[in-house]
Amino acid sequence: MAAAGSPLIFAVGIIGNIMSFLVILAPVPTFYRVYKRKSTESFQSVPYAMALLSAMLWLYYALLTKDLLLLTINVVGCVVESAYLAIYLVYAPKKATAFTVKLVCTMNVALYGAMVAVLQLCVRDAESRVTIAGGIGATFALAVFVAPLAIIRQVIRTKSVEFLPFWLSFFLTISAVVWFFYGLLMKDYFVATPNVLGLLFGLAQMALHLVYKNPKKKGAVSEAHQVPADEEKNQVQLQQPEEAAHVVAATIHADGEVVRGRGEHDDDALKQSVAVVDIVLPPPEEHPVMPPLEQPAPLPPMRMAVEVV
């Protein structure tokens, strides 16, 4: 089942290696963000643990079938996925760290080690060993495509795909197409079959991006329309006390006539919160007749300044 038997198969396998390599590198921005923020936030370790296990299973299968192209890409996958998990363990909270350690020890060490040991020691027929290893590898290949959908509930609840990387979904979809044709040309249905469902899962993930890629767009538009109204309301509220605080400079004569005027000090007066009213009283001879008092006191002409708060 060597891949180099046909130039077409080899070319498709090379393209498959390139696309799978891009899939492997897709989470790099995610882990760079984890490194910069020193926190894993809401990111989960399950997709990377599953990807590591899948790479380990296909590595074993490639060794059994002597498929060079499967061997090379899965060696790279094992190394890179292990690095991702190491970074995750450094910055994850204690609870997430404990869960990840248990997950890796259970799946990637105990189960994988048990599988390899059983196949190597108990299954004598080489063809049967390849069939069993291929079936297990195909089963876990589906888990790699499904693993990013583990946060679908969070995506729908928050209406955000922040924690579902777009490029990972995109390259998973393209990679599934290429490896499907590679398995078809190689007549290796353990490689071709899981990539059919892998294509469907990849399209589902991309559909989530189309639906929730701009979760706050409508909210931002509505807020933009509300801002002028809020500003106008605030301006009206601010203008009301200013108008109430305007100073009225007036001269009130004894006959009740009010003369309003603006002088050179009006601008300064407008800045004050106190109104000054000048009341001009008539001379004594113009005063109305009052009953005589025991001690009448003359009332000289005078100006009074009354402060009205």
Side-chain angles (χ1 to χ4, degrees):
M1 299 178 69
S6 167
L8 176 61
I9 295 176
F10 186 77
V12 173
I14 291 295
I15 296 174
N17 270 253
I18 295 172
M19 299 309 301
S20 293
F21 184 67
L22 293 176
V23 170
I24 295 171
L25 294 183
V28 168
T30 297
F31 283 93
Y32 180 74
R33 171 176 171 173
V34 169
Y35 168 75
K36 293 291 290 184
R37 299 189 178 186
K38 312 299 181 185
S39 172
T40 56
E41 299 177 343
S42 296
F43 293 110
Q44 301 179 8
S45 61
V46 174
Y48 308 103
M50 299 296 285
L52 175 60
L53 180 58
S54 179
M56 294 168 66
L57 291 171
W58 284 113
L59 178 60
Y60 178 68
Y61 179 79
L63 289 172
L64 294 177
T65 58
K66 298 180 175 59
D67 191 326
L68 179 62
L69 293 176
L70 279 179
L71 181 67
T72 53
I73 191 59
N74 285 290
V75 168
V76 174
C78 288
V79 173
V80 177
E81 297 296 341
S82 298
Y84 290 156
L85 287 171
I87 297 173
Y88 186 92
L89 291 173
V90 171
Y91 297 108
K94 292 182 179 180
K95 186 176 180 179
T97 300
F99 172 78
T100 303
V101 170
K102 291 178 182 179
L103 183 66
V104 171
C105 291
T106 301
M107 292 197 316
N108 301 77
V109 178
L111 291 179
Y112 179 78
M115 184 207 72
V116 173
V118 169
L119 290 179
Q120 289 296 121
L121 299 175
C122 300
V123 180
R124 299 298 181 180
D125 181 53
E127 190 67 25
S128 298
R129 190 181 300 156
V130 169
T131 301
I132 295 173
I136 296 174
T139 301
F140 277 91
L142 295 177
V144 175
F145 295 110
V146 177
L149 291 178
I151 60 171
I152 188 172
R153 181 180 177 183
Q154 179 184 3
V155 171
I156 295 176
R157 184 179 70 252
T158 61
K159 300 186 185 334
S160 172
V161 291
E162 180 182 6
F163 300 107
L164 183 64
F166 170 79
W167 291 112
L168 178 59
S169 302
F170 176 78
F171 288 125
L172 275 173
T173 305
I174 302 301
S175 178
V177 174
V178 175
W179 283 111
F180 169 75
F181 284 107
Y182 177 81
L184 203 63
L185 292 172
M186 289 284 293
K187 297 182 180 180
D188 188 342
Y189 299 106
F190 293 119
V191 175
T193 302
N195 284 289
V196 175
L197 293 180
L199 173 61
L200 297 178
F201 286 131
L203 292 175
Q205 294 174 41
M206 296 184 70
L208 289 176
H209 281 278
L210 292 177
V211 174
Y212 297 116
K213 63 179 180 179
N214 294 318
K216 298 181 179 180
K217 186 175 181 180
K218 293 182 179 179
V221 172
S222 62
E223 290 176 3
H225 286 294
Q226 290 177 358
V227 167
D230 293 340
E231 290 181 354
E232 182 178 357
K233 181 179 180 181
N234 292 335
Q235 290 177 359
V236 171
Q237 292 177 350
L238 291 175
Q239 288 175 359
Q240 289 176 352
E242 289 178 358
E243 292 175 356
H246 284 174
V247 175
V248 179
T251 301
I252 304 177
H253 293 284
D255 56 2
E257 182 182 359
V258 179
V259 180
R260 298 173 60 94
R262 295 180 60 91
E264 60 181 352
H265 300 291
D266 286 350
D267 294 336
D268 294 334
L270 288 174
K271 299 179 182 179
Q272 304 296 326
S273 61
V274 177
V276 178
V277 180
D278 292 337
I279 301 176
V280 180
L281 298 178
E285 59 272 11
E286 297 181 7
H287 285 182
V289 178
M290 300 179 64
L293 299 176
E294 296 180 357
Q295 294 181 356
L299 184 62
M302 58 184 299
R303 295 173 61 89
M304 296 179 61
V306 181
E307 293 186 358
V308 181
V309 179

